[in-house]
Amino acid sequence: MVPSLTYRRNDSICVYKGRSSARLTATSAQRPASLTRGQLAQCIRQIYSNAMGDHIPRVPSPEEVVFIRKETESQIKGIKSLEDAKELGEPRSLILTIEESLVLARAHYSAYFPRIFRINDLPTEILTNIFRLIVWPVPNPSTGILWRLWLTWTCRRWRQVALGDCTLWNAIWFRDRPPFKRSWAFLERAGTSTLDLRISSEDTTPISLAEMDHLLNRLLTCLSQIRILIYIGSSWEHIALLLDKLRAADVPLAIERLEIHRLGRIDYGTYGYIQPTALFNGKGTPRLHYLSLSGVHIDWNTSILQNLSTIDIRKLPLELSPTITRFREILISCPALRKLCLDGAGPQIDLYDLPPFQIVMTKLKILCISDFSAQYARHVFSHFTAPNLVDLTFINMTGEDYSPLYEILVNRFPEIRLLTMYAVDLPVRSKALVQWLISMPQLTYLRIANLPSTFFELFVLDPRTLLMPHEKHPLPEVILAPKLAVIESHPSVIRSLPWFAVQRRMLGVPLNKVYITQTKDHDMTNQEFQKTCVELMKSTSLHFMFNGTRTPEEDAILSEGYR
């Protein structure tokens, strides 16, 4: 019997809402009521339920194959017509409904098209590559675990192919409860391939000290295979045990990335771990290029830290941080350093000593500074410069006037393309701030949260009127950040964005896209939030994203910067 596909009729797309539906064609002049997020999710679930619920695995008849193929071709045409309507001619008031229809149309296409695709007839090596493309770029580790298990649960053919590929199992997250049966099974399936290990000892999945000792003893037997080791926990005892095991073990020649994160409130007086230990007992690790320590200190003087591409240090008191002399030695020893993150941590600096010379870091592309005072940040920046920096982040820089910092940043980073400002105190119409922004003409991407509305005024006014308010300035007007095209915003800032988008459009430099992170951490009602989004969509393209994910524009900036 030919399956009944009722989603599409006469090249129109049904927009479901509850039990009723409305039709939207590419030239529709009437906008149906918008679906809520819950209703949209219910529609998608219903589509997949209709496609798979009554389907008994079997070889489709020739009539079914012809029918599904014709329906698939018709679906593709409908999707293309909606995409054209969105991009080329539809009024802004219809965009939201068109996007909803696109989501439903693509869900319907993805549910039915695979029914006639003979995937199990593909050669094993091609099917293996498909599985890798599914598993490797997962959005988060927990999803990666689930997707790999699904591959082995689908059919005998898929299970045989998946278990035969060691690289599908070598990323192991010890998040299951002791004795870690699932994780050890993954480790066995990984065979002799390199290992990417993540160990979590959090409140939801606690690991006792004895269990941690047993876990590390077993893992260190395959030390030569470990490429990435990430530990996340709140106990000093567990971290001290990990550092002691790494110090006593042989040199881990394969390790490329090491992360140790101590969660919770950092109170160094609660445990007797005062004497720092040398990382890997002071032995060199030729392949180590990524080091991240959060709330954890080491013996900086005896640890060999060189040829790193990423240094990420967080939540360290100054007395447990490296001296400025040692910090400079580390920077000099890492000529290929691409990312430097100092979050509430940094070198011990004598504010009265001037650096002998500035270290020029030509490879540094990403710099993150957080929880610094203006004076301390100014002195840290006096020790190095990065002329090719493309991504700069300031977080939690509050409580004082940061104009002295902005003064020394003028013309320091002319190649900045991505600027992140989270919870930063901005002096009202500060000349130093304006001069710093002027000195970044390549700025195209702005990521913001918890900023005053006056910040947006700087990108609308002619900067000459702020620097020289009592003089007349000839036309044309000077535009601050003329290449600014993308804004990624926390909902706390969204109230100012509709006005800002209109003003930038009037200046002839419109915003191409605005991304809003999906979070409930804001003070707006749902009605106010939706109204603001509708206003914003009149002037630019609006998109929503999960917190912590990267946009295509950010990926493009970073990939271009790394060339």
Side-chain angles (χ1 to χ4, degrees), residues 230-499:
I230 300 174
Y231 175 78
I232 302 174
S234 56
S235 167
W236 255 130
E237 290 89 343
H238 289 66
I239 292 175
L241 178 64
L242 173 61
L243 291 174
D244 286 341
K245 294 289 185 181
L246 293 177
R247 181 177 58 182
D250 293 333
V251 179
L253 296 177
I255 195 163
E256 299 177 7
R257 176 171 177 169
L258 176 64
E259 297 186 39
I260 306 177
H261 302 273
R262 186 179 173 212
L263 304 177
R265 183 174 178 270
I266 304 302
D267 185 357
Y268 284 82
T270 59
Y271 182 68
Y273 177 55
I274 302 299
Q275 293 298 323
T277 181
L279 198 60
F280 304 119
N281 202 27
K283 300 174 183 177
T285 49
R287 297 187 182 180
L288 182 66
H289 66 81
Y290 190 113
L291 178 64
S292 178
L293 300 174
S294 178
V296 178
H297 63 289
I298 60 175
D299 188 335
W300 302 100
N301 292 328
T302 57
S303 298
I304 298 179
L305 303 176
Q306 58 188 15
N307 297 322
L308 300 174
S309 64
T310 298
I311 299 176
D312 188 340
I313 307 173
R314 304 168 185 258
K315 299 188 294 186
L316 274 185
L318 281 176
E319 59 269 21
L320 298 178
S321 301
T323 63
I324 185 58
T325 301
R326 178 56 180 153
F327 182 73
R328 289 174 59 89
E329 290 175 353
I330 294 173
L331 295 184
I332 294 173
S333 300
C334 301
L337 189 67
R338 292 180 175 269
K339 179 179 179 180
L340 176 62
C341 180
L342 302 175
D343 181 359
Q348 301 178 32
I349 289 181
D350 187 342
L351 299 180
Y352 299 101
D353 284 348
L354 297 177
F357 60 90
Q358 272 196 343
I359 303 170
V360 180
M361 306 173 67
T362 58
K363 299 294 185 180
L364 189 65
K365 303 296 182 179
I366 303 174
L367 176 62
C368 177
I369 301 294
S370 176
D371 283 317
F372 279 15
S373 68
Q375 186 181 27
Y376 181 79
R378 184 182 174 97
H379 278 79
V380 169
F381 277 111
S382 69
H383 286 269
F384 69 89
T385 184
N388 299 316
L389 194 73
V390 297
D391 184 348
L392 176 63
T393 297
F394 285 152
I395 302 176
N396 292 335
M397 313 278 273
T398 62
E400 58 179 304
D401 183 4
Y402 280 82
S403 294
L405 172 61
Y406 302 135
E407 288 177 358
I408 70 164
L409 294 181
V410 175
N411 297 322
R412 181 69 68 94
F413 307 122
E415 298 299 322
I416 290 292
R417 288 169 172 77
L418 194 159
L419 177 63
T420 301
M421 304 279 279
Y422 284 176
V424 177
D425 280 355
L426 300 171
V428 179
R429 299 195 175 188
S430 165
K431 291 185 177 181
L433 176 60
V434 174
Q435 289 173 334
W436 173 51
L437 294 174
I438 291 175
S439 69
M440 297 184 291
Q442 304 301 323
L443 181 63
T444 59
Y445 194 115
L446 190 60
R447 184 187 291 121
I448 51 178
N450 297 329
L451 294 180
S453 59
T454 54
F455 178 70
F456 297 100
E457 296 177 2
L458 300 177
F459 294 87
V460 172
L461 300 175
D462 188 331
R464 296 175 299 179
T465 63
L466 302 175
L467 299 176
M468 298 171 287
H470 303 296
E471 298 183 14
K472 292 183 178 181
H473 306 288
L475 295 176
E477 292 185 350
V478 175
I479 300 175
L480 192 62
K483 296 184 179 181
L484 181 62
V486 181
I487 287 184
E488 180 185 325
S489 172
H490 186 275
S492 61
V493 192
I494 195 174
R495 289 187 179 94
S496 303
L497 291 181
W499 172 84

Side-chain angles (χ1 to χ4, degrees), residues 104-119:
L104 295 175
R106 288 165 178 162
H108 192 273
Y109 167 80
S110 64
Y112 281 91
F113 169 70
R115 295 176 64 174
I116 59 171
F117 187 81
R118 305 197 317 272
I119 190 169

Side-chain angles (χ1 to χ4, degrees), residues 199 207-216 231 238 241-242:
I199 305 171
I207 303 175
S208 69
L209 194 62
E211 291 166 341
M212 181 73 172
D213 183 62
H214 176 74
L215 171 64
L216 293 177
Y231 175 78
H238 289 66
L241 178 64
L242 173 61

Side-chain angles (χ1 to χ4, degrees), residues 24-284:
L24 173 69
T25 64
T27 59
S28 174
Q30 182 178 3
R31 182 180 185 273
S34 176
L35 295 175
T36 65
R37 186 179 303 175
Q39 290 171 330
L40 191 62
Q42 178 61 32
C43 290
I44 294 174
R45 286 193 294 268
Q46 187 62 44
I47 290 171
Y48 282 100
S49 177
N50 291 341
M52 305 303 297
D54 299 330
H55 181 62
I56 300 173
R58 58 184 170 81
V59 178
S61 67
E63 293 80 8
E64 288 177 313
V65 172
V66 171
F67 179 82
I68 294 175
R69 181 174 288 115
K70 287 183 178 180
E71 278 293 315
T72 301
E73 292 172 353
S74 181
Q75 291 161 13
I76 293 173
K77 291 179 181 178
I79 291 172
K80 183 63 168 60
S81 68
L82 285 169
E83 291 174 340
D84 291 343
K86 178 183 174 182
E87 297 293 335
L88 299 179
E90 287 292 344
R92 290 278 177 182
S93 59
L94 288 177
I95 292 298
L96 185 58
T97 300
I98 292 175
E99 288 183 342
E100 292 170 352
S101 300
L102 272 171
V103 170
L104 295 175
R106 288 165 178 162
H108 192 273
Y109 167 80
S110 64
Y112 281 91
F113 169 70
R115 295 176 64 174
I116 59 171
F117 187 81
R118 305 197 317 272
I119 190 169
N120 281 348
D121 292 343
L122 294 174
T124 299
E125 59 272 19
I126 295 179
L127 190 57
T128 298
N129 284 331
I130 292 174
F131 287 175
R132 290 175 178 176
L133 292 173
I134 294 171
V135 170
W136 287 351
V138 291
N140 54 70
S142 57
T143 302
I145 293 173
L146 191 59
W147 286 2
R148 284 180 284 177
L149 293 176
W150 284 353
L151 290 177
T152 63
W153 296 345
T154 302
C155 63
R156 291 187 182 92
R157 164 74 167 154
W158 285 27
R159 181 176 180 82
Q160 180 185 20
V161 172
L163 294 181
D165 183 9
C166 296
T167 63
L168 293 180
W169 308 99
N170 64 346
I172 306 170
W173 187 6
F174 286 85
R175 198 187 185 191
D176 49 326
R177 296 188 178 279
F180 310 109
K181 291 183 178 180
R182 184 193 65 209
S183 297
W184 292 128
F186 282 23
L187 184 67
E188 182 179 352
R189 295 172 183 179
T192 58
S193 63
T194 55
L195 302 175
D196 300 343
L197 305 179
R198 178 185 176 113
I199 305 171
S200 297
S201 180
E202 306 173 47
D203 293 338
T204 55
T205 56
I207 303 175
S208 69
L209 194 62
E211 291 166 341
M212 181 73 172
D213 183 62
H214 176 74
L215 171 64
L216 293 177
N217 286 337
R218 186 169 175 181
L219 287 178
L220 291 179
T221 60
C222 51
L223 186 62
S224 60
Q225 295 176 240
I226 298 177
R227 176 176 57 187
I228 298 176
L229 178 58
I230 300 174
Y231 175 78
I232 302 174
S234 56
S235 167
W236 255 130
E237 290 89 343
H238 289 66
I239 292 175
L241 178 64
L242 173 61
L243 291 174
D244 286 341
K245 294 289 185 181
L246 293 177
R247 181 177 58 182
D250 293 333
V251 179
L253 296 177
I255 195 163
E256 299 177 7
R257 176 171 177 169
L258 176 64
E259 297 186 39
I260 306 177
H261 302 273
R262 186 179 173 212
L263 304 177
R265 183 174 178 270
I266 304 302
D267 185 357
Y268 284 82
T270 59
Y271 182 68
Y273 177 55
I274 302 299
Q275 293 298 323
T277 181
L279 198 60
F280 304 119
N281 202 27
K283 300 174 183 177

